Amino acid sequence: MGTLYLCVSMHRWPAILSPDPSYDEYVTHDTDGNAVQYHVEFLGSPHTRFWALVPKVELFRLLPTNVRVISKRNLMYIFCVVRRHMFSCCC
């Protein structure tokens, strides 16, 4: 937890894994013990939460493939949110 991820729901958006306030869990498992869903908090405003399927959550990297799928309108906002997250996590 605390690592920056890119979550794909309707759009790709930076998020962090966090415990669901209702269940105090951040991952659900199937009967074999494999992770099925992660609870994520999307960064930015409004601050929202979501249970995402495992294939929809990936490490956040500013690669050309990620930048192309993010609209130009949101790209600058994402940079600001990510920068704020990085500086707020420093000790």
Side-chain angles (χ1 to χ4, degrees):
M1 292 192 312
T3 303
L4 195 58
Y5 293 91
L6 191 64
C7 182
V8 181
S9 57
M10 290 178 61
H11 304 283
R12 291 176 180 254
W13 203 257
I16 56 172
L17 298 185
S18 68
D20 184 319
S22 302
Y23 304 104
D24 201 33
E25 296 287 334
Y26 71 94
V27 63
T28 60
H29 297 90
D30 62 13
T31 55
D32 295 327
N34 300 315
V36 176
Q37 292 179 314
Y38 293 120
H39 185 263
V40 298
E41 286 184 53
F42 291 106
L43 302 179
S45 182
H47 194 72
T48 55
R49 302 169 186 271
F50 180 71
W51 279 100
L53 294 173
V54 170
K56 302 288 187 176
V57 179
E58 58 190 52
L59 282 174
F60 186 88
R61 290 182 222 133
L62 285 177
L63 299 174
T65 55
N66 288 344
V67 173
R68 276 198 301 264
V69 298
I70 299 171
S71 71
K72 289 180 184 179
R73 180 177 60 126
N74 290 329
L75 191 56
M76 183 55 99
Y77 181 74
I78 291 172
F79 282 132
C80 292
V81 168
V82 169
R83 192 175 100 186
R84 194 173 8 187
H85 173 73
M86 288 170 57
F87 287 114
S88 69
C89 292
C90 294
C91 299

